[in-house]
mmCIF file of all heavy atoms in Angstrom:
data_model
loop_
_atom_site.group_PDB
_atom_site.id
_atom_site.type_symbol
_atom_site.label_atom_id
_atom_site.label_comp_id
_atom_site.label_asym_id
_atom_site.label_seq_id
_atom_site.Cartn_x
_atom_site.Cartn_y
_atom_site.Cartn_z
ATOM 1 N N PHE G 148 195.764 34.333 -105.137
ATOM 2 C CA PHE G 148 195.894 35.051 -103.810
ATOM 3 C C PHE G 148 195.058 36.205 -103.729
ATOM 4 O O PHE G 148 194.361 36.527 -102.824
ATOM 5 C CB PHE G 148 197.527 35.349 -103.673
ATOM 6 C CG PHE G 148 197.687 36.237 -102.447
ATOM 7 C CD1 PHE G 148 197.715 35.597 -101.162
ATOM 8 C CD2 PHE G 148 197.803 37.634 -102.420
ATOM 9 C CE1 PHE G 148 197.940 36.397 -100.086
ATOM 10 C CE2 PHE G 148 198.049 38.376 -101.341
ATOM 11 C CZ PHE G 148 198.010 37.755 -100.058
ATOM 12 N N PHE G 149 195.098 37.077 -104.733
ATOM 13 C CA PHE G 149 194.340 38.334 -104.803
ATOM 14 C C PHE G 149 192.852 38.111 -104.848
ATOM 15 O O PHE G 149 192.044 38.765 -104.173
ATOM 16 C CB PHE G 149 194.824 39.233 -106.078
ATOM 17 C CG PHE G 149 195.799 40.084 -105.658
ATOM 18 C CD1 PHE G 149 197.237 39.650 -105.792
ATOM 19 C CD2 PHE G 149 195.703 41.405 -105.149
ATOM 20 C CE1 PHE G 149 198.224 40.484 -105.573
ATOM 21 C CE2 PHE G 149 196.729 42.279 -104.968
ATOM 22 C CZ PHE G 149 198.082 41.784 -105.094
ATOM 23 N N ARG G 150 192.451 36.956 -105.561
ATOM 24 C CA ARG G 150 190.976 36.707 -105.721
ATOM 25 C C ARG G 150 190.412 36.159 -104.402
ATOM 26 O O ARG G 150 189.407 36.606 -103.869
ATOM 27 C CB ARG G 150 190.800 35.781 -106.795
ATOM 28 C CG ARG G 150 189.287 35.460 -106.912
ATOM 29 C CD ARG G 150 188.930 34.623 -108.171
ATOM 30 N NE ARG G 150 189.104 35.438 -109.292
ATOM 31 C CZ ARG G 150 189.116 35.045 -110.516
ATOM 32 N NH1 ARG G 150 188.757 33.764 -110.771
ATOM 33 N NH2 ARG G 150 189.365 35.912 -111.540
ATOM 34 N N TYR G 151 191.128 35.231 -103.670
ATOM 35 C CA TYR G 151 190.524 34.539 -102.549
ATOM 36 C C TYR G 151 191.086 35.124 -101.234
ATOM 37 O O TYR G 151 190.440 34.858 -100.232
ATOM 38 C CB TYR G 151 190.914 33.021 -102.651
ATOM 39 C CG TYR G 151 190.137 32.354 -103.799
ATOM 40 C CD1 TYR G 151 190.788 31.952 -104.833
ATOM 41 C CD2 TYR G 151 188.774 32.240 -103.828
ATOM 42 C CE1 TYR G 151 190.210 31.425 -106.031
ATOM 43 C CE2 TYR G 151 188.139 31.710 -104.942
ATOM 44 C CZ TYR G 151 188.822 31.298 -105.962
ATOM 45 O OH TYR G 151 188.193 30.725 -107.111
ATOM 46 N N VAL G 152 192.220 35.677 -101.115
ATOM 47 C CA VAL G 152 192.736 36.176 -99.853
ATOM 48 C C VAL G 152 192.406 37.746 -99.803
ATOM 49 O O VAL G 152 191.797 38.153 -98.787
ATOM 50 C CB VAL G 152 194.187 35.891 -99.724
ATOM 51 C CG1 VAL G 152 194.827 36.614 -98.389
ATOM 52 C CG2 VAL G 152 194.536 34.481 -99.722
ATOM 53 N N VAL G 153 192.746 38.482 -100.784
ATOM 54 C CA VAL G 153 192.463 39.960 -100.746
ATOM 55 C C VAL G 153 191.036 40.201 -101.143
ATOM 56 O O VAL G 153 190.538 41.284 -100.611
ATOM 57 C CB VAL G 153 193.501 40.663 -101.776
ATOM 58 C CG1 VAL G 153 193.141 42.184 -101.743
ATOM 59 C CG2 VAL G 153 194.915 40.330 -101.287
ATOM 60 N N GLY G 154 190.442 39.519 -101.936
ATOM 61 C CA GLY G 154 188.984 39.621 -102.304
ATOM 62 C C GLY G 154 188.785 40.505 -103.486
ATOM 63 O O GLY G 154 187.669 40.869 -103.816
ATOM 64 N N SER G 155 189.912 40.752 -104.156
ATOM 65 C CA SER G 155 189.767 41.614 -105.409
ATOM 66 C C SER G 155 190.746 40.971 -106.485
ATOM 67 O O SER G 155 191.988 40.673 -106.270
ATOM 68 C CB SER G 155 190.315 42.884 -105.105
ATOM 69 O OG SER G 155 190.352 43.822 -106.352
ATOM 70 N N SER G 156 190.291 40.618 -107.643
ATOM 71 C CA SER G 156 191.080 39.961 -108.661
ATOM 72 C C SER G 156 191.887 40.987 -109.399
ATOM 73 O O SER G 156 191.460 42.221 -109.533
ATOM 74 C CB SER G 156 190.207 39.185 -109.560
ATOM 75 O OG SER G 156 189.310 39.900 -110.245
ATOM 76 N N LEU G 157 192.841 40.614 -110.023
ATOM 77 C CA LEU G 157 193.764 41.507 -110.892
ATOM 78 C C LEU G 157 193.149 41.441 -112.244
ATOM 79 O O LEU G 157 193.040 40.433 -112.908
ATOM 80 C CB LEU G 157 195.157 40.927 -110.938
ATOM 81 C CG LEU G 157 195.905 40.754 -109.574
ATOM 82 C CD1 LEU G 157 197.245 40.165 -109.794
ATOM 83 C CD2 LEU G 157 196.187 42.180 -109.021
ATOM 84 N N VAL G 158 192.725 42.543 -112.766
ATOM 85 C CA VAL G 158 192.043 42.612 -114.048
ATOM 86 C C VAL G 158 193.028 42.514 -115.174
ATOM 87 O O VAL G 158 192.580 41.986 -116.282
ATOM 88 C CB VAL G 158 191.355 44.029 -114.218
ATOM 89 C CG1 VAL G 158 190.205 44.218 -113.230
ATOM 90 C CG2 VAL G 158 192.212 45.114 -114.140
ATOM 91 N N TRP G 159 194.260 42.733 -115.073
ATOM 92 C CA TRP G 159 195.212 42.544 -116.137
ATOM 93 C C TRP G 159 195.916 41.280 -116.160
ATOM 94 O O TRP G 159 196.554 40.978 -117.215
ATOM 95 C CB TRP G 159 196.174 43.654 -116.003
ATOM 96 C CG TRP G 159 196.815 43.700 -114.606
ATOM 97 C CD1 TRP G 159 196.539 44.323 -113.562
ATOM 98 C CD2 TRP G 159 197.900 42.893 -114.203
ATOM 99 N NE1 TRP G 159 197.253 44.182 -112.451
ATOM 100 C CE2 TRP G 159 198.216 43.222 -112.802
ATOM 101 C CE3 TRP G 159 198.837 41.920 -114.661
ATOM 102 C CZ2 TRP G 159 199.183 42.599 -112.056
ATOM 103 C CZ3 TRP G 159 199.777 41.292 -113.975
ATOM 104 C CH2 TRP G 159 200.031 41.689 -112.612
ATOM 105 N N SER G 160 195.556 40.361 -115.273
ATOM 106 C CA SER G 160 196.419 39.126 -115.122
ATOM 107 C C SER G 160 196.013 38.181 -116.228
ATOM 108 O O SER G 160 196.956 37.425 -116.761
ATOM 109 C CB SER G 160 196.339 38.404 -113.812
ATOM 110 O OG SER G 160 195.029 38.021 -113.672
ATOM 111 N N GLU G 161 194.839 38.045 -116.635
ATOM 112 C CA GLU G 161 194.292 37.194 -117.735
ATOM 113 C C GLU G 161 195.084 37.480 -119.043
ATOM 114 O O GLU G 161 195.640 36.737 -119.879
ATOM 115 C CB GLU G 161 192.908 37.074 -117.944
ATOM 116 C CG GLU G 161 192.448 36.158 -119.008
ATOM 117 C CD GLU G 161 190.966 36.157 -119.205
ATOM 118 O OE1 GLU G 161 190.266 36.876 -118.424
ATOM 119 O OE2 GLU G 161 190.454 35.596 -120.226
ATOM 120 N N GLU G 162 195.096 38.847 -119.340
ATOM 121 C CA GLU G 162 195.776 39.337 -120.554
ATOM 122 C C GLU G 162 197.218 39.067 -120.590
ATOM 123 O O GLU G 162 197.750 38.602 -121.650
ATOM 124 C CB GLU G 162 195.434 40.761 -120.732
ATOM 125 C CG GLU G 162 194.949 41.082 -122.079
ATOM 126 C CD GLU G 162 194.484 42.622 -122.048
ATOM 127 O OE1 GLU G 162 195.299 43.552 -122.193
ATOM 128 O OE2 GLU G 162 193.188 42.763 -122.105
ATOM 129 N N VAL G 163 197.883 39.391 -119.548
ATOM 130 C CA VAL G 163 199.260 39.124 -119.530
ATOM 131 C C VAL G 163 199.621 37.568 -119.641
ATOM 132 O O VAL G 163 200.541 37.190 -120.199
ATOM 133 C CB VAL G 163 199.969 39.694 -118.162
ATOM 134 C CG1 VAL G 163 201.408 39.198 -118.060
ATOM 135 C CG2 VAL G 163 199.809 41.123 -118.154
ATOM 136 N N SER G 164 198.794 36.831 -118.834
ATOM 137 C CA SER G 164 199.015 35.282 -118.976
ATOM 138 C C SER G 164 198.826 34.694 -120.501
ATOM 139 O O SER G 164 199.523 33.986 -120.922
ATOM 140 C CB SER G 164 197.937 34.539 -118.005
ATOM 141 O OG SER G 164 198.192 34.974 -116.796
ATOM 142 N N LYS G 165 197.916 35.334 -121.233
ATOM 143 C CA LYS G 165 197.682 34.962 -122.569
ATOM 144 C C LYS G 165 198.910 35.346 -123.360
ATOM 145 O O LYS G 165 199.379 34.525 -124.181
ATOM 146 C CB LYS G 165 196.356 35.690 -123.030
ATOM 147 C CG LYS G 165 196.149 35.433 -124.419
ATOM 148 C CD LYS G 165 194.738 35.905 -125.039
ATOM 149 C CE LYS G 165 194.961 37.493 -125.153
ATOM 150 N NZ LYS G 165 193.888 38.253 -125.756
ATOM 151 N N ILE G 166 199.353 36.532 -123.233
ATOM 152 C CA ILE G 166 200.532 36.895 -123.953
ATOM 153 C C ILE G 166 201.737 36.089 -123.669
ATOM 154 O O ILE G 166 202.342 35.630 -124.599
ATOM 155 C CB ILE G 166 200.898 38.485 -123.788
ATOM 156 C CG1 ILE G 166 199.706 39.300 -124.195
ATOM 157 C CG2 ILE G 166 202.180 38.813 -124.376
ATOM 158 C CD1 ILE G 166 199.746 40.640 -123.807
ATOM 159 N N ILE G 167 201.940 35.847 -122.312
ATOM 160 C CA ILE G 167 203.123 34.909 -122.104
ATOM 161 C C ILE G 167 203.000 33.658 -122.606
ATOM 162 O O ILE G 167 203.776 33.057 -123.109
ATOM 163 C CB ILE G 167 203.275 34.966 -120.416
ATOM 164 C CG1 ILE G 167 203.718 36.211 -119.919
ATOM 165 C CG2 ILE G 167 204.269 33.789 -120.062
ATOM 166 C CD1 ILE G 167 203.677 36.472 -118.366
ATOM 167 N N PHE G 168 201.764 33.061 -122.508
ATOM 168 C CA PHE G 168 201.415 31.665 -123.015
ATOM 169 C C PHE G 168 201.737 31.601 -124.561
ATOM 170 O O PHE G 168 202.298 30.609 -124.951
ATOM 171 C CB PHE G 168 200.046 31.347 -122.675
ATOM 172 C CG PHE G 168 199.729 29.840 -122.921
ATOM 173 C CD1 PHE G 168 200.270 28.953 -122.184
ATOM 174 C CD2 PHE G 168 198.769 29.514 -123.738
ATOM 175 C CE1 PHE G 168 200.057 27.559 -122.365
ATOM 176 C CE2 PHE G 168 198.578 28.018 -124.178
ATOM 177 C CZ PHE G 168 199.144 27.199 -123.245
ATOM 178 N N PHE G 169 201.335 32.608 -125.287
ATOM 179 C CA PHE G 169 201.556 32.615 -126.727
ATOM 180 C C PHE G 169 203.049 32.521 -126.949
ATOM 181 O O PHE G 169 203.593 31.842 -127.846
ATOM 182 C CB PHE G 169 200.927 33.853 -127.430
ATOM 183 C CG PHE G 169 199.535 33.835 -127.518
ATOM 184 C CD1 PHE G 169 198.850 34.973 -127.633
ATOM 185 C CD2 PHE G 169 198.846 32.657 -127.536
ATOM 186 C CE1 PHE G 169 197.441 34.896 -127.826
ATOM 187 C CE2 PHE G 169 197.435 32.577 -127.670
ATOM 188 C CZ PHE G 169 196.746 33.721 -127.887
ATOM 189 N N TYR G 170 203.804 33.414 -126.258
ATOM 190 C CA TYR G 170 205.372 33.486 -126.508
ATOM 191 C C TYR G 170 205.913 32.088 -126.137
ATOM 192 O O TYR G 170 206.869 31.621 -126.665
ATOM 193 C CB TYR G 170 205.983 34.709 -125.812
ATOM 194 C CG TYR G 170 205.809 35.968 -126.630
ATOM 195 C CD1 TYR G 170 204.779 36.676 -126.379
ATOM 196 C CD2 TYR G 170 206.800 36.187 -127.464
ATOM 197 C CE1 TYR G 170 204.554 37.878 -127.215
ATOM 198 C CE2 TYR G 170 206.590 37.401 -128.342
ATOM 199 C CZ TYR G 170 205.438 38.147 -128.042
ATOM 200 O OH TYR G 170 205.269 39.277 -128.886
ATOM 201 N N ILE G 171 205.536 31.538 -124.970
ATOM 202 C CA ILE G 171 206.000 30.128 -124.632
ATOM 203 C C ILE G 171 205.781 29.104 -125.650
ATOM 204 O O ILE G 171 206.702 28.366 -125.878
ATOM 205 C CB ILE G 171 205.336 29.679 -123.266
ATOM 206 C CG1 ILE G 171 205.901 30.512 -122.077
ATOM 207 C CG2 ILE G 171 205.558 28.145 -122.954
ATOM 208 C CD1 ILE G 171 205.157 30.284 -120.742
#
């Protein structure tokens, strides 16, 4: 949503996703 609608990506989302994925 932020990348394609707002036009600005969330810089922290990849890192948080990686951490969540490891714990999963």
Side-chain angles (χ1 to χ4, degrees):
F148 175 79
F149 273 86
R150 180 172 294 174
Y151 294 109
V152 176
V153 177
S155 173
S156 63
L157 302 170
V158 295
W159 50 268
S160 66
E161 180 185 352
E162 225 168 79
V163 172
S164 296
K165 178 178 72 169
I166 294 168
I167 291 172
F168 192 66
F169 287 157
Y170 280 91
I171 288 173

